[in-house]
Amino acid sequence: MRVIDVVTEYAIRYGFQALGAAIVFAAGALVARWGGALVQQRLERQEMEPPVRMLLVKGVQAVILLFAVMATLGQLGVQIAPLLAGVGVAGLGVGLALQGVFSNVVAGLSIIFTKPYRVGEHISLLGVEGDVVAINLFSTILMHPDRSVVVVPNRKIVGEILHNFSTIRQLHLKVGVAYSTNLNEALVLLREILAQNADVLTDPAPAIRVSELSDSAITISVDPWVSVINYVKVQGELNQAIVERFRAGHIEIPFPQREVRMLSTA
């Protein structure tokens, strides 16, 4: 009977504290959820990057939950001040262990606010290139031209040289013609080839020029603009069209040749 009495005494003494603590925490969790939804609705009306919106919503929820936990511990009779001191020391150790994670977050916020590139643009950095498909707090995700996914930590991006092609790229094609070629005729033919390809942009206008006088050929540079998505396709189409049209127009594309003479020693 003494055991039952002791259990009953403790249940009466601490049961209401535990029930009150549970109610306080449940209320705090509901308020955090409601507050996050309210902030989400307000921020969706603003022009803001999705990662920033998500960070603000999670931050509001975390702050509300922190106060709910402190109120819950206070309801249970736990001294908050020593607990906060211990949490601060533990947080310092965790912070030192997660320096790389925090540096990625800081770099991600820098990228989000300064906007050196946006989702949908084509960029090149650190020896890789691709279309930006997502900008997160920890990393930037690229879709490589070979359709593989490249995940770049944000701390590797900030401070590095970045080439942003945006949504269009310029092709750099070269073709050599014989010195006996009528250059005006060759240039007109090249302009026709570009005009007949629907994926070649007219603005900016393509650049066609004689760029080099080499040993065995006159080099003509053909530099049209195309959308990033058509870059590889148009490059192949134009190279093929140039070869076929030059053959049909009897325009010679020379190749390097060397003439070797054997001198008699007699």
Side-chain angles (χ1 to χ4, degrees), residues 211-229:
S211 58
E212 185 180 356
L213 304 178
S214 58
D215 293 339
S216 58
I218 299 174
T219 303
I220 302 176
S221 294
V222 183
D223 303 318
W225 295 85
V226 297
S227 61
V228 169
I229 194 173

Side-chain angles (χ1 to χ4, degrees), residues 8 13 19 59 66 71 75 87 92 97 102-103 112 131 133 136-138 155 157 176 190 220 223 242 245 250:
T8 303
R13 180 181 301 178
L19 179 61
L66 178 61
Q75 185 69 25
V87 170
L92 179 61
F102 292 146
S103 62
I112 290 169
D131 298 333
V133 296
N136 301 319
L137 287 176
F138 298 98
R155 70 177 186 273
I157 299 175
L190 289 171
I220 302 176
D223 303 318
I242 289 172
R245 294 290 297 275
H250 304 289

Side-chain angles (χ1 to χ4, degrees), residues 13-84:
R13 180 181 301 178
Y14 298 108
F16 288 106
Q17 288 185 349
L19 179 61
I23 293 175
V24 169
F25 183 78
L30 289 175
V31 171
R33 184 176 180 181
W34 174 80
L38 181 62
V39 172
Q40 177 79 18
Q41 292 177 357
R42 294 293 180 87
L43 293 179
E44 284 178 351
R45 303 172 186 172
Q46 308 294 327
E47 185 177 353
M48 184 179 298
E49 297 290 339
V52 177
R53 186 185 302 116
M54 178 188 67
L55 179 64
L56 293 176
V57 171
K58 296 299 182 183
V60 170
Q61 291 177 333
V63 170
I64 296 175
L65 282 177
L66 178 61
F67 281 107
V69 170
M70 293 175 62
T72 301
L73 294 176
Q75 185 69 25
L76 292 173
V78 178
Q79 296 295 324
I80 302 298
L83 181 63
L84 290 179

Side-chain angles (χ1 to χ4, degrees), residues 230-241:
N230 293 324
Y231 183 81
V232 176
K233 179 176 78 74
V234 175
Q235 185 178 37
E237 292 175 351
L238 292 181
N239 281 329
Q240 180 178 348

Side-chain angles (χ1 to χ4, degrees), residues 60-142:
V60 170
Q61 291 177 333
V63 170
I64 296 175
L65 282 177
L66 178 61
F67 281 107
V69 170
M70 293 175 62
T72 301
L73 294 176
Q75 185 69 25
L76 292 173
V78 178
Q79 296 295 324
I80 302 298
L83 181 63
L84 290 179
V87 170
V89 174
L92 179 61
V94 172
L96 293 175
L98 298 178
Q99 286 183 3
V101 175
F102 292 146
S103 62
N104 276 330
V105 172
V106 173
L109 291 174
S110 174
I111 292 170
I112 290 169
F113 284 110
T114 59
K115 297 182 178 64
Y117 52 84
R118 297 175 181 269
V119 173
E121 295 181 337
H122 189 89
I123 64 173
S124 172
L125 75 160
L126 301 172
V128 298
E129 65 175 283
D131 298 333
V132 180
V133 296
I135 305 172
N136 301 319
L137 287 176
F138 298 98
S139 62
T140 294
I141 301 176
L142 307 179

